[in-house]
Amino acid sequence: MAESKKPTDDKDERTNDNKDKQTNDDDDNDNDESVFSKLQDLMNRFSGLMSSSTSDEPVEEPVLKSFDLKNAAEYMSKCSNIIVMAGAGISTSAGIPDFRSPGTGLYSQLSKYDLPSPEAIFHLEFFRNNPKPFFLLAKELYPQKFTPTPTHFFIRLLNEKNKLLRIFTQNIDSLERIAGIPSEKIVEAHGTFFTSHCLNCRKEYDLEFVKEVIFKDEIPHCTDCDGIVKPDIIFFGESLPDRFQQCVQSDFSKADFLIIIGTSLQVAPFNRLVSFVDKNCPRLLINMEPAGKATSIWDLGSSSLLYDTNKNRRDVFHKSTCDDGVTELAKLLGWEDDFNKLLESEGVSVKNVKENLSTIPNETEENANHLAEQMAAATLNDNKKKE
């Protein structure tokens, strides 16, 4: 005989339902509490970040007595591992056309012409299809066409005083080399004209080989495989040189003073280097415009320069041209005579440079406009040939 099933007690069923409901409610409460806890933690962190950025109390004692060039120089006089981060501003007084200045820079001039983008000349795919515009630019910027500025020679003087650990430069004009700074002290973050390689077989060529060809308004080709020979300038999408990565890792932890000069600190990853020095390493910015400041709450921290904030312990902004800034710095360091002797030996005069500065902006704009016209014409002619 089959076993009869015991009828379910309505009371038991209600009890079980209540237990299940209670369990579900507990789970919901746990989830709510978990979410609330996470939100509260996030709010606390944000609040802490806000308070840390606005508090009047410095976290630690200041590194500098005051945040001006005089005190920066006093501290710097005791240092022997100085890193310089340099941008296009250190070459302005040499008359080299820059790239990014609104209205006058090369990109601004190129925007008037029918190019995929003003920056297209620095894209590898565009270069492979039409290298002529780039080599027109290369001819204008080629080393030995320009004279190093007083700023370049000040960096050389830093080395002669056994204080320079390294100069990291964004510039491709090679004026650091021409100024006599030893090549082992230079890191060209965006590449150099001093060496070139075939895009196909990677055979290396020297400066003179490429120079001889492009000054005939021709395209350099590999003697082995007939591939295009490209100067070792870093194009968009290419990795920075291995030497850049190696020296960043080896140098910045050793630095006891950082000079940032003639750069807007807008181009990554170069602009992030300011955060790689020790928290007690002073950082001196010499520039015509403020740079490296936090632009939002998320930018606050060691990657931002903190001059003009109540959290500043070590950062100095000295507003001036690069040449004026280093001239004043040389005086404060007691190096004025040595600096003037070096400039004189190289046929460079700060006074003459200043006098020439009044004409350089117009000449640079004219040069950039003329160069842009040539590069655009080269692109147009190449496109017509392909059609």
Side-chain angles (χ1 to χ4, degrees):
M1 182 176 176
E3 182 178 355
S4 61
K5 186 176 181 180
K6 182 179 178 181
T8 303
D9 190 310
D10 288 343
K11 183 178 179 181
D12 290 343
E13 193 170 281
R14 286 194 300 274
T15 301
N16 289 335
D17 285 347
N18 288 336
K19 287 180 179 178
D20 289 343
K21 184 175 184 302
Q22 181 65 42
T23 300
N24 290 336
D25 287 344
D26 290 343
D27 289 343
D28 289 342
N29 287 337
D30 289 343
N31 289 336
D32 289 343
E33 288 176 7
S34 176
V35 171
F36 178 78
S37 176
K38 289 177 180 177
L39 286 172
Q40 186 65 48
D41 181 57
L42 185 61
M43 290 291 287
N44 288 339
R45 291 185 185 185
F46 185 76
S47 174
L49 181 60
M50 288 292 290
S51 63
S52 68
S53 66
T54 58
S55 169
D56 289 332
E57 294 297 324
V59 177
E60 297 178 70
E61 286 296 314
V63 176
L64 299 175
K65 295 176 183 177
S66 63
F67 307 112
D68 54 30
L69 193 64
K70 180 181 178 181
N71 279 276
E74 182 181 339
Y75 190 101
M76 181 180 157
S77 66
K78 305 167 189 172
C79 297
S80 57
N81 284 313
I82 297 172
I83 289 179
V84 178
M85 290 174 56
I90 73 169
S91 297
T92 300
S93 61
I96 295 179
D98 86 323
F99 290 88
R100 298 179 183 277
S101 293
T104 60
L106 186 62
Y107 287 160
S108 180
Q109 300 296 334
L110 282 169
S111 66
K112 297 184 291 189
Y113 301 100
D114 188 23
L115 293 174
S117 71
E119 298 87 353
I121 55 169
F122 290 113
H123 283 275
L124 205 53
E125 183 178 353
F126 182 89
F127 176 82
R128 287 181 183 276
N129 292 326
N130 183 13
K132 184 70 174 178
F134 171 80
F135 282 114
L136 283 168
L137 171 65
K139 181 180 175 182
E140 290 302 313
L141 296 183
Y142 224 71
Q144 299 164 354
K145 284 197 68 174
F146 297 94
T147 301
T149 67
T151 301
H152 292 96
F153 288 114
F154 176 81
I155 299 168
R156 172 176 154 184
L157 184 60
L158 276 179
N159 184 64
E160 292 178 356
K161 296 285 186 180
N162 296 316
K163 289 183 172 293
L164 181 67
L165 175 59
R166 205 87 64 190
I167 170 172
F168 289 75
T169 178
Q170 293 174 282
N171 301 330
I172 60 174
D173 53 40
S174 301
L175 288 182
E176 296 85 7
R177 293 175 183 253
I178 297 169
I181 301 169
S183 58
E184 66 269 17
K185 293 286 187 175
I186 304 169
V187 174
E188 291 149 322
H190 295 164
T192 178
F193 280 108
F194 268 74
T195 55
S196 301
H197 284 84
C198 171
L199 287 179
N200 293 342
C201 71
R202 302 306 299 163
K203 181 177 179 179
E204 183 172 314
Y205 292 87
D206 63 16
L207 179 73
E208 291 305 316
F209 172 87
V210 176
K211 180 181 178 181
E212 184 178 348
V213 176
I214 69 171
F215 272 74
K216 296 176 184 175
D217 292 326
E218 298 174 359
I219 307 299
H221 286 271
C222 180
T223 55
D224 286 356
C225 72
D226 201 40
I228 298 173
V229 175
K230 170 185 163 292
D232 291 340
I233 304 300
I234 304 301
F235 278 19
F236 291 110
E238 290 187 299
S239 299
L240 295 187
D242 290 341
R243 176 169 163 74
F244 173 83
Q245 309 291 354
Q246 293 162 0
C247 289
V248 165
Q249 292 180 21
S250 66
D251 292 350
F252 276 79
S253 60
K254 301 175 187 174
D256 49 17
F257 198 92
L258 178 65
I259 299 174
I260 308 150
I261 185 164
T263 173
S264 61
L265 291 176
Q266 291 181 354
V267 179
F270 190 87
N271 59 352
R272 298 177 191 143
L273 298 183
V274 299
S275 67
F276 290 6
V277 293
D278 184 80
K279 65 179 182 177
N280 292 318
C281 174
R283 304 181 294 187
L284 167 63
L285 171 67
I286 300 175
N287 208 43
M288 286 299 293
E289 300 294 336
K293 297 292 291 290
T295 56
S296 73
I297 188 65
W298 308 111
D299 293 337
L300 289 166
S302 61
S303 61
S304 302
L305 299 179
L306 298 176
Y307 55 86
D308 294 336
T309 73
N310 50 26
K311 283 295 177 183
N312 188 22
R313 301 176 52 249
R314 53 168 173 163
D315 296 337
V316 174
F317 170 45
H318 181 72
K319 182 176 180 177
S320 75
T321 66
C322 298
D323 293 340
D324 284 347
V326 299
T327 299
E328 181 63 23
L329 190 54
K331 289 179 183 177
L332 292 168
L333 289 164
W335 301 351
E336 185 175 12
D337 288 344
D338 292 338
F339 187 42
N340 288 335
K341 287 177 182 176
L342 175 58
L343 293 178
E344 185 178 346
S345 70
E346 296 291 339
V348 176
S349 164
V350 174
K351 181 181 177 181
N352 291 342
V353 169
K354 282 186 178 181
E355 290 174 353
N356 293 337
L357 278 175
S358 60
T359 62
I360 281 175
N362 290 334
E363 290 175 358
T364 302
E365 182 177 358
E366 291 171 5
N367 291 342
N369 187 41
H370 178 63
L371 182 57
E373 287 179 1
Q374 288 183 299
M375 294 165 71
T379 302
L380 181 63
N381 291 338
D382 187 74
N383 289 340
K384 284 181 178 178
K385 287 179 184 177
K386 290 177 181 177
E387 290 172 2

